[in-house]
Amino acid sequence: MPGSDLSNIYREYITCLNNQDWLRLGQFVDNDVVHNDRRIGLSGYREMLRKDFRDIPDLHFRIEILVSDPPYVASRLSFHCTPKGNFLGLPVNGKKISFAENVFYEFRSEKICDVRSIIDKLAIEAQLQRR
Amino acid sequence: MPGSDLSNIYREYITCLNNQDWLRLGQFVDNDVVHNDRRIGLSGYREMLRKDFRDIPDLHFRIEILVSDPPYVASRLSFHCTPKGNFLGLPVNGKKISFAENVFYEFRSEKICDVRSIIDKLAIEAQLQRR
């Protein structure tokens, strides 16, 4: 499978998230998906994302860098958003913050089966300290 | 340039780091390299790495996932090491910790010119809290 195909699938997946089109999520995410070493499955993955949108009403995923090399996609995502309360254990409380997430996705049969995500908590801490 | 070439260069770069072979670093890193939005240049990059090894004497870079798609390489690095004092603002103080770093590298003329790195601070916090 050429890398560009996985890139296209990944871009559709991100559009699905931004549209909160949860009925379509199973097109992109494997039933047994693992997220940061936890086998949360498709339903757990959907619930995690729905909670993210509840906690961060203006959440929007923007792809900054996309690297595709089957079976992997690596993506740097950038966010400019306003978490309502605590976020990653930090008292954001409605402040607008900007941060990145560097993520590796492993695909199986064109679906995401393993996710290794790190969010830049240091960058958020620095922004909160400057206020 | 095929992706496998960049992968090979990147693996040599990691060997160079693990050998602390600072005289060779300029083979892999551009003179004007930018690290997390700061233009630190080759000398600043070398100094950053030397400081990392001073602060973490048993530092060793291990590639867990490597994704190559020119001009980018994305790498998930894993570490099992013992920072002597504070690390990312956390009082590690000689405890053995395990954590990952998700990094994007942009290459120009087969040298690293831009680095976007995020270290999993949340994972380290969780390990310190369990003790």
Side-chain angles (χ1 to χ4, degrees), chain A:
Chain A
M1 180 166 43
S4 59
D5 288 358
L6 274 196
S7 294
N8 290 339
I9 292 169
Y10 181 74
R11 287 182 198 283
E12 279 186 62
Y13 160 73
I14 290 296
T15 299
C16 172
L17 300 193
N18 281 329
N19 291 339
Q20 302 182 52
D21 190 357
W22 306 127
L23 292 175
R24 276 188 77 204
L25 192 67
Q27 287 185 28
F28 306 103
V29 177
D30 191 273
N31 276 331
D32 296 319
V33 64
V34 175
H35 182 274
N36 285 351
D37 289 319
R38 292 194 310 129
R39 186 173 299 275
I40 58 177
L42 174 58
S43 60
Y45 201 85
R46 185 186 286 119
E47 187 42 46
M48 175 184 74
L49 287 163
R50 290 172 69 118
K51 182 177 187 312
D52 288 341
F53 277 96
R54 282 197 301 272
D55 294 346
I56 312 172
D58 60 352
L59 181 61
H60 182 87
F61 294 74
R62 195 179 76 79
I63 300 169
E64 192 179 311
I65 304 174
L66 179 53
V67 184
S68 175
D69 186 8
Y72 291 104
V73 163
S75 173
R76 180 172 170 91
L77 299 165
S78 66
F79 299 92
H80 308 281
C81 59
T82 318
K84 286 193 289 188
N86 267 24
F87 181 61
L88 306 179
L90 299 173
V92 178
N93 297 330
K95 297 185 193 81
K96 179 94 173 210
I97 55 174
S98 300
F99 60 91
E101 177 180 4
N102 287 359
V103 202
F104 289 84
Y105 304 84
E106 185 176 351
F107 282 73
R108 186 169 54 212
S109 304
E110 303 195 348
K111 290 190 182 186
I112 294 166
C113 64
D114 196 85
V115 181
R116 306 275 178 152
S117 152
I118 307 180
I119 292 173
D120 195 349
K121 182 173 180 176
L122 269 180
I124 301 169
E125 287 172 343
Q127 287 164 62
L128 296 178
Q129 280 162 13
R130 277 203 301 272
R131 298 185 195 222

Side-chain angles (χ1 to χ4, degrees), chain B:
Chain B
M1 181 166 44
S4 60
D5 288 0
L6 275 196
S7 294
N8 291 338
I9 292 169
Y10 181 74
R11 287 182 197 282
E12 281 186 59
Y13 159 74
I14 290 297
T15 300
C16 172
L17 300 194
N18 281 329
N19 291 339
Q20 302 184 50
D21 190 356
W22 306 128
L23 292 175
R24 274 189 81 202
L25 192 67
Q27 287 183 30
F28 305 103
V29 177
D30 191 272
N31 275 330
D32 296 319
V33 65
V34 174
H35 182 274
N36 285 352
D37 288 321
R38 292 193 311 128
R39 185 173 300 278
I40 59 177
L42 174 59
S43 60
Y45 201 86
R46 185 187 286 118
E47 188 40 49
M48 176 184 74
L49 287 162
R50 291 173 68 118
K51 183 178 188 309
D52 287 342
F53 276 96
R54 283 197 302 273
D55 295 345
I56 311 171
D58 61 352
L59 181 60
H60 182 84
F61 294 74
R62 194 178 77 79
I63 300 170
E64 192 178 312
I65 304 173
L66 179 53
V67 183
S68 175
D69 186 9
Y72 291 103
V73 163
S75 173
R76 181 174 170 91
L77 300 165
S78 67
F79 300 92
H80 308 279
C81 60
T82 318
K84 287 193 290 189
N86 267 25
F87 181 60
L88 306 180
L90 299 173
V92 179
N93 298 328
K95 298 184 194 78
K96 180 94 170 207
I97 54 174
S98 299
F99 59 93
E101 177 181 4
N102 287 0
V103 203
F104 289 82
Y105 304 84
E106 186 176 351
F107 281 74
R108 186 170 52 212
S109 304
E110 302 194 349
K111 291 190 180 185
I112 294 165
C113 64
D114 196 83
V115 182
R116 305 276 178 152
S117 151
I118 307 180
I119 293 173
D120 195 350
K121 182 172 180 177
L122 270 178
I124 302 170
E125 288 171 343
Q127 287 165 62
L128 295 179
Q129 280 163 12
R130 277 204 300 269
R131 293 174 199 236

